[in-house]
Coordinates of all heavy atoms in Angstrom, one line a residue:
G216 N 11.3 3.4 -2.3 CA 12.0 4.7 -2.3 C 11.4 5.6 -3.4 O 10.7 5.2 -4.3
A217 N 11.8 6.9 -3.2 CA 11.4 7.9 -4.1 C 12.6 8.9 -4.2 O 13.3 9.2 -3.2 CB 10.2 8.7 -3.7
H218 N 12.9 9.3 -5.5 CA 14.0 10.2 -5.7 C 13.6 11.3 -6.6 O 13.2 11.1 -7.8 CB 15.2 9.5 -6.3 CG 16.4 10.3 -6.5 ND1 17.2 10.7 -5.4 CD2 16.9 10.9 -7.6 CE1 18.2 11.5 -5.9 NE2 18.0 11.6 -7.2
A219 N 13.7 12.6 -6.1 CA 13.3 13.7 -7.0 C 14.3 13.9 -8.0 O 15.5 14.1 -7.8 CB 13.2 14.9 -6.1
L220 N 13.9 13.9 -9.3 CA 14.8 14.1 -10.4 C 15.0 15.6 -10.7 O 16.0 16.1 -11.1 CB 14.3 13.4 -11.7 CG 14.1 11.9 -11.5 CD1 13.4 11.4 -12.8 CD2 15.4 11.2 -11.3
D221 N 13.9 16.4 -10.5 CA 13.9 17.9 -10.6 C 12.7 18.4 -9.9 O 12.1 17.7 -9.1 CB 14.0 18.3 -12.1 CG 12.8 17.8 -12.9 OD1 11.8 17.5 -12.4 OD2 13.0 17.6 -14.2
A222 N 12.3 19.6 -10.2 CA 11.2 20.2 -9.4 C 9.9 19.6 -9.8 O 8.9 19.7 -9.0 CB 11.2 21.7 -9.7
R223 N 9.8 18.9 -10.9 CA 8.5 18.3 -11.3 C 8.5 16.8 -11.2 O 7.5 16.2 -10.8 CB 8.2 18.7 -12.7 CG 7.0 18.0 -13.3 CD 6.5 18.6 -14.6 NE 5.9 20.0 -14.3 CZ 5.4 20.7 -15.3 NH1 5.4 20.3 -16.5 NH2 4.9 21.9 -15.0
W224 N 9.6 16.1 -11.6 CA 9.6 14.7 -11.8 C 10.2 13.9 -10.6 O 11.2 14.4 -10.0 CB 10.3 14.3 -13.1 CG 9.6 14.7 -14.3 CD1 9.8 15.9 -15.0 CD2 8.5 14.1 -15.0 NE1 9.0 16.0 -16.0 CE2 8.2 14.9 -16.1 CE3 7.9 12.9 -14.7 CZ2 7.2 14.5 -16.9 CZ3 6.8 12.5 -15.6 CH2 6.5 13.3 -16.7
T225 N 9.6 12.8 -10.2 CA 10.1 11.9 -9.1 C 10.1 10.5 -9.6 O 9.2 10.0 -10.2 CB 9.2 12.0 -7.9 OG1 9.1 13.4 -7.5 CG2 9.7 11.2 -6.8
L226 N 11.3 9.8 -9.4 CA 11.4 8.4 -9.6 C 11.0 7.6 -8.4 O 11.4 7.9 -7.3 CB 12.9 8.1 -10.0 CG 13.2 6.6 -10.3 CD1 12.6 6.2 -11.6 CD2 14.7 6.4 -10.3
R227 N 10.1 6.6 -8.7 CA 9.7 5.7 -7.6 C 10.1 4.3 -7.9 O 10.1 3.8 -9.0 CB 8.1 5.8 -7.5 CG 7.6 7.1 -7.2 CD 6.1 7.1 -7.2 NE 5.5 6.2 -6.2 CZ 5.2 6.6 -5.0 NH1 5.3 7.9 -4.6 NH2 4.7 5.7 -4.1
W228 N 10.6 3.6 -6.8 CA 11.2 2.3 -7.0 C 10.9 1.4 -5.8 O 10.5 1.9 -4.7 CB 12.7 2.3 -7.3 CG 13.4 3.0 -6.1 CD1 13.8 4.3 -6.0 CD2 14.0 2.3 -5.0 NE1 14.4 4.5 -4.8 CE2 14.6 3.3 -4.2 CE3 13.9 1.0 -4.5 CZ2 15.2 3.0 -3.0 CZ3 14.6 0.7 -3.3 CH2 15.2 1.7 -2.6
G229 N 11.0 0.1 -6.0 CA 10.8 -0.8 -4.9 C 11.3 -2.2 -5.2 O 11.5 -2.6 -6.3
A230 N 11.6 -3.0 -4.1 CA 11.9 -4.4 -4.3 C 11.3 -5.1 -3.1 O 11.3 -4.6 -2.0 CB 13.5 -4.5 -4.3
H231 N 10.9 -6.4 -3.3 CA 10.2 -7.1 -2.2 C 10.5 -8.6 -2.3 O 10.8 -9.1 -3.4 CB 8.7 -6.9 -2.3 CG 8.1 -7.2 -3.6 ND1 8.0 -6.3 -4.6 CD2 7.6 -8.4 -4.0 CE1 7.4 -6.9 -5.7 NE2 7.1 -8.2 -5.3
H232 N 10.4 -9.3 -1.2 CA 10.6 -10.7 -1.1 C 9.6 -11.2 -0.1 O 9.6 -10.8 1.1 CB 12.0 -11.1 -0.6 CG 12.2 -12.6 -0.5 ND1 12.5 -13.4 -1.6 CD2 12.2 -13.4 0.6 CE1 12.7 -14.6 -1.2 NE2 12.5 -14.7 0.1
V233 N 8.7 -12.1 -0.6 CA 7.5 -12.5 0.2 C 7.4 -14.0 0.2 O 7.3 -14.6 -0.9 CB 6.2 -11.9 -0.3 CG1 5.0 -12.2 0.7 CG2 6.3 -10.4 -0.4
R234 N 7.5 -14.6 1.4 CA 7.3 -16.1 1.5 C 5.8 -16.3 1.9 O 5.5 -15.9 3.0 CB 8.2 -16.7 2.4 CG 8.0 -18.2 2.5 CD 9.1 -18.9 3.3 NE 8.9 -20.4 3.3 CZ 9.2 -21.2 2.4 NH1 9.7 -20.8 1.2 NH2 8.9 -22.5 2.5

Side-chain angles (χ1 to χ4, degrees):
H218 182 76
L220 302 175
D221 56 28
R223 171 170 293 183
W224 293 95
T225 301
L226 178 71
R227 299 174 61 91
W228 59 270
H231 57 270
H232 180 82
V233 185
R234 180 169 180 81

